[in-house]
């Protein structure tokens, strides 16, 4: 197996999976070598089948039926198989030759058996292996046209009884049940392949209902049954393409299925059947979908089906009607409608829906902010700057936060109206002493800091209170003009940190010490800082990481 190296395995798997694979090398068993491939079983919490394949020079790929491998990843089991093979590299050519010899020998032996001897062999296998018997029974029933026999076998294959404990299939048995259920899919597809697509279509529908009926009783954490459901949906589609059933009957089944409980198993999209349905079937499908929606206008499945069909047909008005029948109180649905109308080239109607969304929202504090952004953007692009300011002002008045303040400021500055708007906004915040902002501090302090109005922010913090984070920002911004006030803040914030440990704490403390030193320099009192730092070092000398960090910063 040229090209199979530890470096290549690590590159394909990544460091984490490679390291985990090291612990599974001894769990590899049943290694089989063929032309360009190696297969084996890997036993861990579960048993998985893995296969490595070599393409061109140096090309390596792998597949494993573990959940991670099923997602297309090069998993730890493939790493373990590769490492196992590398450890026995000298033996690989011999194993490959041995495998070829065994295959040729088996084929030659079978060819040499008489008809009676072959029958005896098959009968013995049937008697010893239930799965072999079931597969052959299905093929026999299919070949003889025995639909009742095939139906009976399919029902047996989908029966959870042999795998269930107290009526439930546990996680450890789910894979085995899924493997058995997969045989039912193969049987249905074989019917289509043998020219009996109409029977395959009927059985596929029955199998979907049967599997959907037991889903809640199976621990399908790894998604095995979900894959079987998807395979059954494909088998049904293939059968319909070949059988060409009555379009109206097919439309009726599709609508009933999509609106029923089994849809979550198969995720069938009726539009995938458009070629089979034809014009007559699609007309029936739309009519049935409209009827179902009218009977249950708030049903999620009914709304989704209507939306899919309307969008596929370019029927924007129907799409809007579906949305408009169940408007969200926060204006989100109005926004969805507006965007649909924009896409359809109907901007005036889109704007009307966006404005209606704002009006219909009883409390602007709960409005979908994306709707506010959309409407503001539309007004701005139309050079309706006063309207943009009004939207932002109303939103700020309802939801007084730093973000809405910034948005109001940007809109008002663009309209050359910021001084008056700012005065009104600050008046609201000053009157609203209970409103909290960043880290629980007052919003007024946040917005004044954001405006770089340091003196006003300091006064507001003194009068209304502020969070430590706000005081730190205040001190940082005021240090150049109010070093004594800033120094008092830094010293207060540093005190509690000296009683804590941890590298993150030490980094914060050293940052404060640097700020304290700068304040003393501005105040002309460097000796006081030296005294402070000396006392701090004496008290904190056991914290070696803190001492090292202080040394690094010249403290």
């Amino acid at each position: 197996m040229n090209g199979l190296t530890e470096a290549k395995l690590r590159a394909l798997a990544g460091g984490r999976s490679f390291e985990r694979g090291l612990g599974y090398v001894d769990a590899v068993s049943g290694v089989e070598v063929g032309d360009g491939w190696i297969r084996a079983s890997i036993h861990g919490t579960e048993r998985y089948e893995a296969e490595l394949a070599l393409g061109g020079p140096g090309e390596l790929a792998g597949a494993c039926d573990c959940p991670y491998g099923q997602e297309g990843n090069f998993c730890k089991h493939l790493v373990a198989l590769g490492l196992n093979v590398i450890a026995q590299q000298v033996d690989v050519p011999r194993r490959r030759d041995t495998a070829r010899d065994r295959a040729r020998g088996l084929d030659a032996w079978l060819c040499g058996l008489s008809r009676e001897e072959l029958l005896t062999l098959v009968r013995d296998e049937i008697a010893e292996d239930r799965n072999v018997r079931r597969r052959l029974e299905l093929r026999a029933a299919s070949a003889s046209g025995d639909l009742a026999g095939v139906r009976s076998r399919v029902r047996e294959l989908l029966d959870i009884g042999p795998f269930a404990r107290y009526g439930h299939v546990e996680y450890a048995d789910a894979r085995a049940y899924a493997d058995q259920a997969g045989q039912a899919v193969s049987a249905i597809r074989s019917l289509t392949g043998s020219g009996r697509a109409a029977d395959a279509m009927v059985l596929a529908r029955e199998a979907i209902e049967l599997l959907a009926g037991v889903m809640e009783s199976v621990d399908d954490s790894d998604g095995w049954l979900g894959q079987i459901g998807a395979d059954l949906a494909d088998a049904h589609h293939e059968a319909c393409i070949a059988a060409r059933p009555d379009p109206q009957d097919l439309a009726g089944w599709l609508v009933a299925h999509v609106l029923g409980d089994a849809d979550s198993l198969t995720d069938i999209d009726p539009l995938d059947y458009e070629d089979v349905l034809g014009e007559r079937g699609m007309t029936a499908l739309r009519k049935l979908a409209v009827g179902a929606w009218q009977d249950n206008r708030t049903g999620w499945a009914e709304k989704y089906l209507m939306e899919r069909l309307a969008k596929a047909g370019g029927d924007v008005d129907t799409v809007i009607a579906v949305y408009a029948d169940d408007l969200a109180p926060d204006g989100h649905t109005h926004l969805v409608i507006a965007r649909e109308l924009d896409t359809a080239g109907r901007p005036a109607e889109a704007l009307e829906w966006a404005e209606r969304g704002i009006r219909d929202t009883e409390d602007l504090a709960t409005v979908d902010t994306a709707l506010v952004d959309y409407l503001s953007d539309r007004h701005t692009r139309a050079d309706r700057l006063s309207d943009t300011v009004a939207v932002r002002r109303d939103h700020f008045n309802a939801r007084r936060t730093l973000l809405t303040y910034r948005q109001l400021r940007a809109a008002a500055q663009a309209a050359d109206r910021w001084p008056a708007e700012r005065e009104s906004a600050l008046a609201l915040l000053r009157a609203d002493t209970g409103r909290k902002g960043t880290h629980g501090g007052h919003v007024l302090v946040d917005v004044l800091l954001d405006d770089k109005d340091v003196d006003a922010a300091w006064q507001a913090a003194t009068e209304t209170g502020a969070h430590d984070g706000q005081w730190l920002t205040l001190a940082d911004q005021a240090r150049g003009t109010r070093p004594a006030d800033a120094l008092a803040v830094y010293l207060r914030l540093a005190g509690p940190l000296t009683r804590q440990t941890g590298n993150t704490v030490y980094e914060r403390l050293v940052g404060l010490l640097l700020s304290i030193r700068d304040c003393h320099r501005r105040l002309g009192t460097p000796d006081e800082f030296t005294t402070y730092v000396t006392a701090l070092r004496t008290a904190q000398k056991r914290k070696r990481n803190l001492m090292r960090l202080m040394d690094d910063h010249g403290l």
Side-chain angles (χ1 to χ4, degrees):
M1 298 291 284
N2 295 329
L4 180 58
T5 64
E6 289 192 17
K8 184 154 291 186
L9 290 172
R10 182 184 288 275
L12 287 170
R16 183 181 180 190
S17 288
F18 182 85
E19 295 300 324
R20 296 179 69 186
L22 293 172
Y24 282 83
V25 175
D26 293 336
V28 177
S29 65
V31 177
E32 296 182 33
V33 182
D35 288 324
W37 57 264
I38 296 180
R39 300 188 191 112
S41 298
I42 293 86
H43 297 264
T45 306
E46 300 288 333
R47 182 180 66 82
Y48 296 112
E49 299 296 323
E51 177 178 318
L52 289 171
L54 282 176
E59 293 183 8
L60 178 65
C64 180
D65 60 3
C66 73
Y68 190 61
Q70 288 283 302
E71 295 175 359
N73 299 298
F74 200 94
C75 66
K76 62 186 179 184
H77 305 109
L78 291 168
V79 172
L81 174 55
L83 294 174
N84 182 279
V85 171
I86 290 172
Q88 306 178 52
Q89 190 112 23
V90 176
D91 197 39
V92 170
R94 182 187 63 78
R95 288 193 179 192
R96 182 169 53 237
D97 292 341
T98 300
R100 290 173 181 169
D101 291 341
R102 283 200 301 265
R104 285 194 292 264
L106 177 59
D107 187 63
W109 176 67
L110 290 172
C111 289
L113 294 177
S114 66
R115 179 177 180 276
E116 290 302 321
E117 289 173 327
L118 281 172
L119 286 173
T120 300
L121 176 63
V122 171
R123 287 168 182 150
D124 289 343
E125 290 298 315
I126 290 173
E128 294 179 8
D129 192 321
R130 181 176 61 179
N131 288 329
V132 172
R133 173 177 58 79
R134 285 178 169 173
R135 286 196 294 270
L136 292 178
E137 284 174 346
L138 272 171
R139 294 181 66 174
S142 177
S144 65
D146 180 10
L147 181 60
V150 177
R151 177 179 282 114
S152 176
R153 299 289 83 76
V154 167
R155 287 180 174 276
E156 287 182 10
L157 291 170
L158 296 177
D159 179 19
I160 65 171
F163 302 90
R165 303 173 186 177
Y166 307 106
H168 185 81
V169 179
E170 302 293 341
Y171 172 80
D173 300 313
R175 172 69 184 280
Y177 172 70
D179 288 343
Q180 178 174 294
Q183 297 175 31
V185 180
S186 299
I188 292 168
R189 280 183 159 147
S190 68
L191 284 174
T192 300
S194 62
R196 299 175 57 205
D199 290 340
M201 182 184 69
V202 172
L203 284 181
R205 295 177 182 180
E206 293 179 4
I208 287 171
E209 292 299 323
L210 287 170
L211 192 62
V214 301
M215 279 289 291
E216 295 298 321
S217 300
V218 180
D219 184 344
D220 191 36
S221 300
D222 288 339
W224 299 112
L225 290 199
Q227 183 59 54
I228 299 299
D231 292 342
L232 279 172
D234 290 341
H236 178 264
H237 189 222
E238 294 163 4
C240 288
I241 292 173
R244 294 288 165 175
D246 179 79
Q248 291 181 311
D249 289 344
L250 177 58
W253 182 85
L254 286 170
V255 171
H257 176 78
V258 169
L259 302 182
D261 294 335
D263 182 57
S264 60
L265 170 68
T266 61
D267 198 25
I268 286 177
D269 186 349
L271 292 177
D272 290 340
Y273 289 76
E274 188 169 2
D275 290 343
V276 182
L277 288 165
E279 185 176 346
R280 186 161 67 96
M282 288 301 295
T283 299
L285 185 71
R286 292 189 183 96
K287 183 177 180 180
L288 290 167
V290 170
W293 172 62
Q294 289 176 339
D295 289 340
N296 184 18
R297 289 178 179 267
T298 60
W300 182 90
E302 288 82 358
K303 287 164 55 180
Y304 180 73
L305 177 59
M306 279 293 296
E307 179 187 342
R308 287 280 294 127
L309 293 175
K311 284 186 176 180
D315 187 354
V316 178
D317 290 321
T318 298
V319 174
I320 292 171
V322 172
Y323 289 137
D325 214 51
D326 187 23
L327 295 171
D330 66 351
H332 174 74
T333 318
H334 298 76
L335 175 61
V336 172
I337 292 174
R339 286 172 172 166
E340 290 287 347
L341 288 165
D342 274 334
T343 302
R346 295 157 62 175
E349 294 173 74
L351 181 58
E352 289 176 6
W353 270 100
E355 291 174 333
R356 176 181 164 183
I358 296 293
R359 290 195 305 270
D360 289 353
T361 302
E362 294 183 2
D363 182 3
L364 277 179
T366 65
V367 72
D368 185 343
T369 56
L371 176 61
V372 178
D373 293 340
Y374 172 90
L375 189 55
S376 299
D377 180 64
R378 287 294 302 271
H379 287 329
T380 300
R381 285 192 283 118
D383 202 26
R384 294 170 53 181
L385 300 183
S386 294
D387 291 332
T388 304
V389 172
V391 171
R392 292 301 189 187
R393 181 196 307 125
D394 290 344
H395 194 215
F396 170 77
N397 290 346
R399 186 188 291 179
R400 295 189 285 281
T401 66
L402 176 59
L403 175 60
T404 57
Y405 180 85
R406 285 172 171 168
Q407 291 168 331
L408 173 60
R409 182 177 62 198
Q413 286 175 339
D416 199 22
R417 297 173 51 178
W418 179 228
E421 291 293 339
R422 180 176 188 263
E423 184 177 347
S424 297
L426 293 179
L428 276 177
L429 291 175
R430 289 190 178 100
D432 191 10
T433 57
R435 190 174 294 272
K436 298 297 183 180
T438 305
H439 307 300
H442 200 284
V443 176
L444 177 61
V445 177
D446 284 334
V447 301
L448 290 171
L449 282 169
D450 203 61
D451 280 342
K452 305 301 186 221
D453 192 346
V454 179
D455 289 338
W458 198 286
Q459 181 180 349
T462 303
E463 293 174 353
T464 66
H467 185 274
D468 283 350
Q470 291 176 317
W471 276 117
L472 180 59
T473 304
L474 273 168
D476 288 341
Q477 292 189 13
R479 197 162 66 211
T481 58
R482 308 173 65 155
D485 290 334
L487 176 61
V489 172
Y490 292 137
L491 290 171
R492 180 179 65 79
L493 295 178
L497 296 180
T498 62
R499 296 187 291 275
Q500 301 175 37
T501 59
N503 290 336
T504 301
V505 172
Y506 300 154
E507 289 172 2
R508 289 168 56 197
L509 178 56
V510 167
L512 289 172
L513 291 175
L514 292 172
S515 298
I516 291 170
R517 182 174 64 183
D518 184 56
C519 287
H520 277 295
R521 285 176 177 172
R522 293 176 185 273
L523 292 168
T525 56
D527 292 342
E528 290 185 22
F529 177 70
T530 301
T531 301
Y532 174 79
V533 169
T534 301
L536 180 67
R537 278 184 166 276
T538 301
Q540 305 290 320
K541 62 183 179 181
R542 294 183 181 275
K543 298 177 181 177
R544 289 177 292 178
N545 286 353
L546 174 59
M547 295 298 103
R548 188 180 302 113
L549 196 59
M550 290 178 67
D551 290 340
D552 291 342
H553 288 83
L555 294 169

